Amino acid sequence: MASEAVSIIIVGASGDLAQKKIYPALFSLFCQGLLPGDFNVFGFARSKFTHDEFRVKISSDLPCHYTPDAKECADNQKDFVARCHYVSGSYDSSDSFLDLYQVMQDTEPSRDVNRVFYFAIPPSIFMDVADAIGDAGFVACDGVNPWSRVVIEKPFGRDRQSSDTLTRELALIFAEDQTFRMDHYLGKELIQNLLVLRFANLIFEPLWNKEFIESVEVVWKENSGVDGRGGYFDKYGIIRDVVQNHLIQVLSLVAMCPPDRYSSSSIAEKKVKLMRSIATVQVDDIILGQYKDGKCGSKDVGAYTSDDTVPDDSITPTFAKVKLSINNDRWAGVPFSITAGKGLDKHVTRIRIKFRHVANNIFCDAGVCPEANELVIRIQPDEAIYLRFTNKTPGMGMNFTSKDLDLRYKHAFDEIIPDAYESLILDVIRGDRSLFVTKEELEAAWDIFTPVLHEIDEQKIVPLPYAFGSTGPEAE
Ligand code: NDP
Ligand code: BG6
């Protein structure tokens, strides 16, 4: 019988992602009884901590929302951290990983333990770690029983070529079906709901095409800046940071054709087909911006280049508005756009689908017609779906008002909305790849943007300035 025991090895356990997302998600799964009985978590990084020091460090971010009773939560935290161990070492040393292996052997319940290797480290050291793990003989070769899986986080390369290199080199250690490319947006509740909304309801799919839809926009705004993450961000910029991955994934779920069945391969196939029909983006399709001094509420905030982690002369864009066209029968001629920016006026991610006006609308008066319908899916914050439609304004006369049918998750559901990392980590343990990025999706997504990214880099295109806290560059 296949073993259910699992060890989760978090490489880069001292970092921000591990502390803020991975350990809290594992704890949430533990509180819901969703982790296998025999699980252990092994943190690995260069920083020196004893097991106990490390347990204290991670405890501060373990959330109690699944166990609001203070005593129950404290008991759960104690039980959970007792399963968390820590080893320090060098990322490129198989000896360090053999030290880790020794600790694992002393802890694990048997030899048949399944393993998740979670790379919570900068991409520049992915291959050092993969090679050291491979050399230490850690990875189960057949990948079946016990299985070994690796989780890597975006960014997967800087362009098509570097992404292919990473894919090829990683495949020497982990086969494609052992590789889980994490794009955490795919784990967000409203993004998971896109397929259900579109394909489990009768009313949308017949209208989901160029005959009825006028435009589709995906908007991603943060009202914070890089806040000390410039070391990473400045090398990538907003297109590589969120557009080529998170937002193209969202757009492909919105626009893809119905999969033949609910299976990861069928969904991935349709997503790839959609991405392959997006016209390669040109420089003229993009407005780039970079935030300058401005305000967040009443507080003054400095420009992007005033962040200590950003070079003073940086021309890395913190804002992009990208026009996209999809060359297929369903969408030909419908404008799609993605707008993404840091240091803007609000924090929101939403999809807005604007429907066309009613043909021959009998309520048009002197050429002025009631507003067209809109479907808005607000991914965050305050998850909601609303459908704007025209009504007669109550009272005498025939006047019109647009109102929203408003589905706010907070009011509509009693359930706690899980963090994206909870859903995705559970899927890794269960071996469900539906919400992970396949090699083909990755290639197709890079092909949309690689030529224009190279052109922007080579021509050193200077982004337009915009004030922190504004809606973006004026040319928008
Ligand atoms: P960190 O910068 O916090 O790095 C994680 C750990 O890696 C650090 O604690 C450090 O551990 C080690 N490390 C950092 N820089 C180097 C270096 N140059 N050489 C060797 N080791 C280094 O990263 P995050 O935790 O923020 O992110 C980890 C991964 O997840 C990255 O790929 C990132 O792009 C991705 N990601 C992060 C998100 C987040 O919310 N933070 C969101 C989405 C993706 P030590 O010094 O102890 O070895
Ligand atoms: C990360 C980006 O992938 O997503 C960050 O690197 C961004 O720049 C973050 O801030 C946003 O994630 P979320 O889940 O807070 O919207």
Side-chain angles (χ1 to χ4, degrees):
M1 198 174 124
S3 163
E4 287 215 332
V6 65
S7 288
I8 298 148
I9 299 115
I10 303 175
V11 184
S14 58
D16 182 69
L17 182 73
Q19 176 82 18
K20 301 272 171 51
K21 294 291 181 186
I22 305 174
Y23 283 103
L26 286 168
F27 178 63
S28 295
L29 293 173
F30 175 69
C31 291
Q32 295 169 84
L34 292 171
L35 290 181
D38 278 329
F39 84 92
N40 282 285
V41 188
F42 298 91
F44 180 90
R46 294 172 306 185
S47 305
K48 302 240 179 301
F49 295 101
T50 63
H51 293 303
D52 284 338
E53 284 165 351
F54 191 71
R55 287 171 182 146
V56 170
K57 171 176 149 55
I58 58 171
S59 292
S60 59
D61 280 306
L62 300 180
C64 289
H65 48 255
Y66 287 105
T67 44
D69 177 77
K71 166 138 187 2
E72 195 189 344
C73 186
D75 288 348
N76 276 349
Q77 287 178 342
K78 201 166 145 227
D79 293 348
F80 175 78
V81 297
R83 311 283 199 110
C84 297
H85 317 272
Y86 183 84
V87 174
S88 80
S90 304
Y91 294 115
D92 57 358
S93 153
S94 37
D95 284 349
S96 292
F97 283 96
L98 287 171
D99 292 344
L100 170 64
Y101 191 47
Q102 189 57 53
V103 174
M104 289 168 65
Q105 285 205 311
D106 294 346
T107 315
E108 288 173 340
S110 72
R111 294 198 152 253
D112 289 340
V113 177
N114 303 303
R115 299 204 168 109
V116 176
F117 296 92
Y118 199 129
F119 286 11
I121 41 173
S124 53
I125 53 171
F126 277 2
M127 283 319 302
D128 283 347
V129 171
D131 288 341
I133 286 176
D135 290 348
F138 251 164
V139 181
C141 296
D142 65 5
V144 178
N145 185 22
W147 48 255
S148 301
R149 296 176 185 146
V150 67
V151 180
I152 54 171
E153 287 269 354
K154 56 130 296 239
F156 312 114
R158 297 191 79 256
D159 55 12
R160 171 70 200 265
Q161 195 190 11
S162 51
S163 168
D164 284 357
T165 304
L166 175 63
T167 302
R168 204 173 44 245
E169 290 182 356
L170 197 62
L172 298 174
I173 317 290
F174 293 96
E176 178 64 17
D177 63 0
Q178 294 174 284
T179 303
F180 287 68
R181 293 183 195 87
M182 175 87 89
D183 180 318
H184 75 280
Y185 268 57
L186 292 175
K188 289 188 187 270
E189 191 61 40
L190 271 266
I191 293 176
Q192 291 195 51
N193 190 44
L194 281 172
L195 291 187
V196 183
L197 181 82
R198 288 191 55 198
F199 304 127
N201 293 293
L202 182 68
I203 59 171
F204 296 115
E205 194 50 21
L207 306 181
W208 216 255
N209 57 60
K210 63 186 180 203
E211 299 300 323
F212 298 96
I213 291 182
E214 189 174 88
S215 65
V216 177
E217 57 180 48
V218 178
V219 172
W220 182 94
K221 292 183 177 198
E222 276 188 348
N223 55 1
S224 49
V226 281
D227 298 338
R229 278 189 82 213
Y232 150 74
F233 186 87
D234 200 65
K235 291 195 200 80
Y236 287 85
I238 198 76
I239 297 179
R240 291 182 172 98
D241 187 38
V242 296
V243 178
Q244 179 273 343
N245 34 66
H246 301 329
L247 303 178
I248 259 316
Q249 283 288 338
V250 171
L251 192 138
S252 64
L253 288 167
V254 170
M256 71 186 210
C257 290
D260 299 337
R261 53 189 195 288
Y262 182 57
S263 76
S264 50
S265 57
S266 208
I267 296 166
E269 183 201 325
K270 297 296 178 187
K271 277 164 71 183
V272 171
K273 202 161 175 207
L274 188 277
M275 288 185 205
R276 288 282 174 213
S277 43
I278 298 178
T280 310
V281 173
Q282 309 294 320
V283 168
D284 289 347
D285 299 325
I286 304 186
I287 295 168
L288 297 173
Q290 189 190 80
Y291 65 81
K292 304 293 166 191
D293 293 347
K295 292 218 175 264
C296 179
S298 56
K299 206 177 118 215
D300 289 333
V301 183
Y304 172 68
T305 47
S306 69
D307 191 292
D308 288 344
T309 57
V310 173
D312 294 344
D313 57 354
S314 169
I315 54 167
T316 298
T318 57
F319 172 98
K321 178 165 183 170
V322 186
K323 282 195 270 172
L324 296 153
S325 32
I326 301 180
N327 298 328
N328 65 15
D329 280 353
R330 183 184 279 248
W331 296 116
V334 177
F336 282 71
S337 70
I338 295 178
T339 303
K342 288 183 178 276
L344 292 178
D345 56 330
K346 18 175 121 131
H347 173 217
V348 71
T349 306
R350 66 163 180 257
I351 305 160
R352 186 186 302 275
I353 293 147
K354 286 193 184 173
F355 289 87
R356 294 194 186 279
H357 283 273
V358 173
N360 303 320
N361 193 327
I362 58 168
F363 296 108
C364 293
D365 183 14
V368 180
C369 299
E371 282 180 39
N373 299 115
E374 267 184 33
L375 175 69
V376 176
I377 299 154
R378 189 166 62 227
I379 294 158
Q380 61 187 23
D382 192 11
E383 294 84 346
I385 300 174
Y386 46 96
L387 180 63
R388 177 158 296 188
F389 67 111
T390 303
N391 300 272
K392 175 184 170 300
T393 316
M396 306 305 153
M398 192 50 91
N399 298 309
F400 307 104
T401 316
S402 284
K403 288 282 178 194
D404 294 336
L405 267 179
D406 190 349
L407 178 81
R408 278 169 198 255
Y409 269 45
K410 233 185 251 165
H411 300 150
F413 297 102
D414 293 332
E415 289 81 359
I416 295 173
I417 298 180
D419 184 78
Y421 280 86
E422 283 172 49
S423 304
L424 295 173
I425 292 174
L426 187 61
D427 283 352
V428 175
I429 294 170
R430 290 178 172 168
D432 181 345
R433 299 167 55 80
S434 320
L435 300 178
F436 293 84
V437 180
T438 64
K439 174 174 168 284
E440 291 74 21
E441 285 170 60
L442 187 58
E443 291 168 354
W446 274 124
D447 283 345
I448 301 166
F449 290 102
T450 293
V452 81
L453 285 166
H454 285 173
E455 206 172 330
I456 291 167
D457 293 345
E458 279 154 21
Q459 290 184 17
K460 299 194 184 339
I461 295 179
V462 178
L464 298 169
Y466 62 95
F468 192 106
S470 69
T471 55
E474 275 168 16
E476 200 200 343

